[in-house]
Amino acid sequence: MSAVSETGEITAPMPRGGVTQSVRDSLVVAQRNLIRMARIPEILLFGLIQPVMFVVLFTYVFGGSISIGGSTDPQLYKEFLMAGIFAQTVTFATAGAGAGIADDMHKGLIDRFRSLPMARGAVLTGRTLADLVQTTLTIIVLAGVALLVGWRAHENIGKVICGFLLLLLLGYAFSWIGALIGLSVRTPEAATSGGLIWLFPLTFISNAFVPVTGMPSFLQHVAEWNPFSATVAGARELFGNKMPNVPQSVTGAWPMEHPILASVIWSVIIIAVFRTLAVRKYRQSAA
């Protein structure tokens, strides 16, 4: 409950501490967001439309035109493409995370949470966990669409699952960037725009849709040190979709030589940095 200060002002209750309490509060907030998503199925539906469109367009429009290792075989391009589409899907969920938090701020819901004796970071953690669940459902459906258009994984089920977990880890890391953006803008519309404008160069200056061998030299370095590229390359390796006659790295960049480890390191760094910044921003706005 709220307390009354010596001056007669009503102050917000002190949040309860402890890791256990923080986890419990985060799960409660995550449950609240999942219930809201279930009641608005359009959120999941519209989240599926764009990646499905990308799969169909890239597969059937560009599939026979882009050379992979000297071959324009459409089947080869499907196996090259899908890790990039999966990675793009999990990272584009960033915009939704930011817009959702900005919407909660705009409607005053965050102010209600601040009046409760709960861990300060629980509101953001719960929101990002709920977004992770939504992204997981989207990836499951998208994987089914990929199988329908001819994509195949060539490794055992354990490695394939690890490939998807690697992608979801990157998506969760990027959702914290979205959380920071959502807390930093005034409207959900601004959060959506701010969440997408930097994602397009990040995803396209990478190895997701075309080999980096055809890029200018300076872009090759950018692409191969891009955390998005490391995750795409790591997922291809775990799916058994590494391309023949396509070099692992053009510039000798360490992330491309060790993509799985590099992807995990990049994701952990992004989570550590942007979670800290987002929670600090949340506390400052509550002051």
Side-chain angles (χ1 to χ4, degrees), residues 104-247:
D104 288 343
M105 292 280 289
H106 184 69
K107 292 178 178 178
L109 183 63
I110 298 296
D111 291 330
R112 299 177 195 173
F113 282 133
R114 288 174 184 151
S115 68
L116 300 175
M118 61 190 300
R120 291 303 186 199
V123 174
L124 303 180
T125 302
R127 175 74 206 200
T128 55
L129 288 175
D131 289 329
L132 179 62
V133 173
Q134 181 183 350
T135 303
T136 302
L137 296 175
T138 302
I139 285 293
I140 291 172
V141 175
L142 189 60
V145 174
L147 291 171
L148 289 175
V149 301
W151 171 73
R152 295 292 181 270
H154 303 289
E155 291 288 356
N156 60 63
I157 186 65
K159 285 190 174 182
V160 172
I161 291 174
C162 287
F164 283 114
L165 290 177
L166 195 70
L167 291 161
L168 290 171
L169 179 62
L170 181 72
Y172 182 69
F174 274 44
S175 69
W176 281 105
I177 302 178
L180 180 60
I181 293 172
L183 290 168
S184 303
V185 299
R186 296 182 179 180
T187 65
E189 293 79 9
T192 301
S193 299
L196 288 175
I197 194 169
W198 60 275
L199 280 173
F200 279 103
L202 185 80
T203 55
F204 282 95
I205 305 176
S206 72
N207 59 0
F209 307 114
V210 295
V212 301
T213 51
M215 296 180 183
S217 178
F218 74 96
L219 280 184
Q220 290 177 349
H221 289 277
V222 174
E224 294 202 337
W225 281 94
N226 184 344
F228 186 84
S229 292
T231 301
V232 172
R236 284 192 185 121
E237 184 174 321
L238 290 167
F239 293 153
N241 291 153
K242 291 177 68 175
M243 296 293 103
N245 303 320
V246 176

Side-chain angles (χ1 to χ4, degrees), residues 218-278:
F218 74 96
L219 280 184
Q220 290 177 349
H221 289 277
V222 174
E224 294 202 337
W225 281 94
N226 184 344
F228 186 84
S229 292
T231 301
V232 172
R236 284 192 185 121
E237 184 174 321
L238 290 167
F239 293 153
N241 291 153
K242 291 177 68 175
M243 296 293 103
N245 303 320
V246 176
Q248 184 82 349
S249 174
V250 178
T251 67
W254 185 85
M256 292 297 99
E257 299 293 342
H258 309 85
I260 299 173
L261 178 59
S263 176
V264 173
I265 292 174
W266 274 122
S267 295
V268 170
I269 290 174
I270 292 169
I271 291 171
V273 171
F274 284 93
R275 187 186 189 281
T276 301
L277 293 175

